[in-house]
Amino acid sequence: MSDTTPPAEAPAKPAKPTLVARFKNLLLDYGPLALVMNFVILGLFMVGFYAAIQLGFQPESTGEKAGSWMAAYAAAQLAKPVRFAAVFVLTPLVARIPPVARFIERNKHRWNF
């Protein structure tokens, strides 16, 4: 028998928040700026995919039958993790711009999600 005590179990890591929970926290911190950034990035992705389709990329799914814009939308939805990563990175950076920072500070009390 050993005189040492058995090692204590490592505390369990808290569960990683879901993408939706992280976006809600971003909304609480930055309000409408987070929504605007989300839609701007979605628009940029859709325009980029639309341009790729028009320049010769051939989608091989049901999206090609629905038209170029629907195929671009479907491709943008498939790229959602990349889009949300861009939103999570760019929103705090844009919020540092002085006029945007003043807007957020003045209106932070107005949004409660």
Side-chain angles (χ1 to χ4, degrees):
M1 292 225 132
S2 171
D3 291 339
T4 60
T5 59
E9 291 185 26
K13 289 184 180 178
K16 187 176 178 180
T18 64
L19 196 59
V20 173
R22 289 180 59 202
F23 190 70
K24 284 183 181 179
N25 287 337
L26 194 73
L27 282 174
L28 288 173
D29 292 340
Y30 299 104
L33 176 63
L35 287 175
V36 169
M37 291 298 296
N38 183 39
F39 288 121
V40 165
I41 292 172
L42 171 65
L44 290 174
F45 267 72
M46 284 185 59
V47 168
F49 283 123
Y50 178 78
I53 291 168
Q54 292 300 314
L55 292 174
F57 175 74
Q58 296 293 322
E60 297 180 8
S61 67
T62 58
E64 70 180 317
K65 296 175 186 163
S68 297
W69 280 111
M70 286 305 296
Y73 177 75
Q77 289 303 317
L78 289 174
K80 191 178 285 190
V82 176
R83 280 189 338 182
F84 274 117
V87 170
F88 292 135
V89 169
L90 293 176
T91 300
L93 295 176
V94 171
R96 291 182 185 170
I97 298 171
V100 177
R102 284 192 298 269
F103 170 79
I104 290 172
E105 201 55 43
R106 272 185 272 157
N107 297 303
K108 198 169 203 165
H109 68 280
R110 292 186 182 181
W111 55 78
N112 293 330
F113 298 104

